[in-house]
Amino acid sequence: EELNAIAPEISEAAKKLDEKTGEGNDFLGWVDLPENYDKEEFDRILRASEKIRKSCDVFIAIGIGGSYLGARAAIEFVKGSLSNLTKKDGPAVYFAGNTIDPDALHELLEICRGRDVCINVISKSGSTTEPAIAFRVFREMLEKKYGKEEAAKRIFVTTDKRDVVGKLKHFAIEKGYETFVVPDDIGGRFSVLSAVGLLPIAVAGCDIKKMMEGAAKARIDFASPDVDKNDCYKYAALRNILMRKGYEIELFVSYKPSFQYTNEWLKQLFGESEGKDKKGLFPASVIYSTDLHSLGQYLQDGKRIIFETVIDTKKSQNEVLVPFDEENIDNLNFLANKDFHYVNRQALLGTLDAHVEGGVPNVLLELDAMDEENFGYLVYFFEKACGISGYMNSVNPFDQPGVEVYKKNMFKLLGKPE
Ligand code: PA5
């Protein structure tokens, strides 16, 4: 009944997205991106990623926010969170420019010492402080190590397409760096399936064609105007119904550590899109069962302002069985020869029941596997649900005026000239 009652609002918001009549409609390039993406640039991304994979041991992607989180999310989702240690071919992929902490930067510079390095600076504006000053450091390091000419072959720039004097694109052309485009009509947090995310993702050895195919499938699956038949609309409806009942926090839950950065990406997607005009759900995240041993108590018995969006992954890539143990000091021989995936799913099912009984509503999303196609599918699902939710709450989901305030203060303190 509640779904039926909210359905007209969903349809109206979806219509605004589809017909591009809502606020922020100049940032809707992501809606048709899985079909309309620049195929020539896509091939160039594939060629550049092959070249990078052959010519370095370490690849550093320099960016922050929307120019960082999507790529990291995709790589960890598909390859695991420790893939830099486990991979058999291609460079280790690290991320810089997402913090101003000198110790984190120093660690990365140490990792680069004595190894061949390529970098990709990713910044739509080209002037964001964190990546810009990190880019200075890595450019200087590369030029000292290889000389300017060879360094230029190892620097890749993803930025706004306009060649304007004093801007990153112009600088890159002057220096002879290969460039890729952040499309005008796609904001940072919606840009993972553009060159912003695709180059680092391909360098990490993921199949970006499959990723785009997954997104294209989602675009078709979630086009149906019927809320009942459209899981994306249904999800948007449920989270808004819960918000209106006083649940102020949406907690994204996964049982896989390789989902951690997808959680981070989700927090940016929803937080920056919905949190404005003193409105919006607060997005938070956990990895269970890890966090059941820290936040589990609060979830079960604390304030009833949270609902959980649980992403249940049907398959794991590897089977690991619990060994039989003669001594059985932990009394867990009843689990002998059971797959960890099975045990993990029972944790999910048990927690789901416990939390729902404890008064924490759960929205359950089922994901087939942690692979490229599913990542692309999931990205599109959440982006569309996010756009719809923003319009339902009468905010512009595609701007982020609030993030400028800290910058103004920081620049004042740093003595930036007017
Ligand atoms: O979503 C956004 O727009 C932001 O998170 C930006 O991506 C982030 O601030 C980085 O901006 P830029 O790519 O211009 O360096």
Side-chain angles (χ1 to χ4, degrees), residues 78-379:
V78 176
K79 298 283 179 188
S81 43
L82 301 177
S83 65
N84 282 338
L85 302 173
T86 56
K87 67 169 54 171
K88 296 192 177 62
D89 59 357
V93 177
Y94 291 98
F95 295 88
N98 53 69
T99 163
I100 321 175
D101 175 34
D103 294 331
L105 186 56
H106 179 78
E107 269 184 326
L108 284 177
L109 291 169
E110 283 300 303
I111 286 170
C112 293
R113 197 187 287 273
R115 300 166 89 190
D116 279 319
V117 179
C118 289
I119 65 173
N120 176 203
V121 60
I122 309 161
S123 179
K124 187 172 189 174
S125 61
S127 56
T128 307
T129 311
E130 292 90 336
I133 58 178
F135 181 40
R136 287 181 179 219
V137 172
F138 283 100
R139 213 174 68 229
E140 183 183 70
M141 186 267 277
L142 287 180
E143 288 180 352
K144 274 192 188 147
K145 189 176 165 108
Y146 297 106
K148 288 196 172 171
E149 206 177 310
E150 174 61 22
K153 296 180 194 150
R154 294 175 172 274
I155 299 175
F156 298 81
V157 173
T158 308
T159 190
D160 184 87
K161 68 169 188 277
R162 266 170 291 270
D163 177 4
V164 177
V165 179
K167 290 283 193 177
L168 183 56
K169 172 80 176 187
H170 187 76
F171 180 77
I173 293 171
E174 273 191 337
K175 299 278 179 190
Y177 308 152
E178 182 162 8
T179 62
F180 298 93
V181 174
V182 187
D184 278 348
D185 56 355
I186 301 184
R189 58 191 173 275
F190 289 83
S191 70
V192 54
L193 300 177
S194 74
V196 169
L198 293 179
L199 181 60
I201 294 170
V203 170
C206 301
D207 185 336
I208 55 172
K209 278 191 186 143
K210 286 226 169 77
M211 210 166 266
M212 296 308 285
E213 281 165 19
K217 185 170 184 304
R219 181 172 161 272
I220 292 167
D221 285 0
F222 304 130
S224 161
D226 190 343
V227 176
D228 250 359
K229 294 193 186 109
N230 187 324
D231 281 344
C232 173
Y233 292 4
K234 211 187 281 180
Y235 165 62
L238 289 173
R239 59 196 298 282
N240 280 285
I241 289 170
L242 290 167
M243 183 177 74
R244 290 170 195 185
K245 288 184 176 186
Y247 296 98
E248 290 170 3
I249 297 172
E250 177 172 21
L251 188 68
F252 292 101
V253 179
S254 168
Y255 284 70
K256 295 182 97 55
S258 49
F259 201 87
Q260 186 186 337
Y261 271 84
T262 305
N263 273 341
E264 298 304 322
W265 175 81
L266 282 167
K267 287 191 282 192
Q268 189 202 359
L269 180 70
F270 284 104
E272 259 188 4
S273 301
E274 296 189 299
K276 46 198 74 160
D277 304 341
K278 311 286 175 279
K279 298 184 206 171
L281 283 163
F282 182 80
S285 71
V286 287
I287 300 294
Y288 290 162
S289 67
T290 314
D291 292 325
L292 287 173
H293 295 257
S294 61
L295 292 172
Q297 171 60 37
Y298 191 102
L299 265 299
Q300 193 65 49
D301 285 337
K303 257 177 136 175
R304 305 291 76 173
I305 50 169
I306 302 172
F307 72 92
E308 291 173 298
T309 295
V310 181
I311 293 98
D312 175 14
T313 314
K314 294 292 186 197
K315 267 191 251 154
S316 291
Q317 283 158 15
N318 301 287
E319 185 185 73
V320 181
L321 302 181
V322 179
F324 177 80
D325 185 350
E326 289 270 319
E327 284 155 282
N328 196 27
I329 52 157
D330 49 15
N331 287 320
L332 291 172
N333 264 350
F334 69 98
L335 292 178
N337 297 320
K338 296 261 190 316
D339 187 1
F340 270 67
H341 180 82
Y342 167 80
V343 182
N344 208 15
R345 288 217 68 231
Q346 307 322 300
L348 181 152
L349 296 172
T351 307
L352 199 89
D353 273 353
H355 287 184
V356 172
E357 260 173 47
V360 179
N362 270 230
V363 179
L364 185 66
L365 302 174
E366 294 178 331
L367 191 67
D368 289 332
M370 302 284 278
D371 59 16
E372 288 91 339
E373 203 180 333
N374 277 282
F375 185 82
Y377 194 88
L378 172 145
V379 160

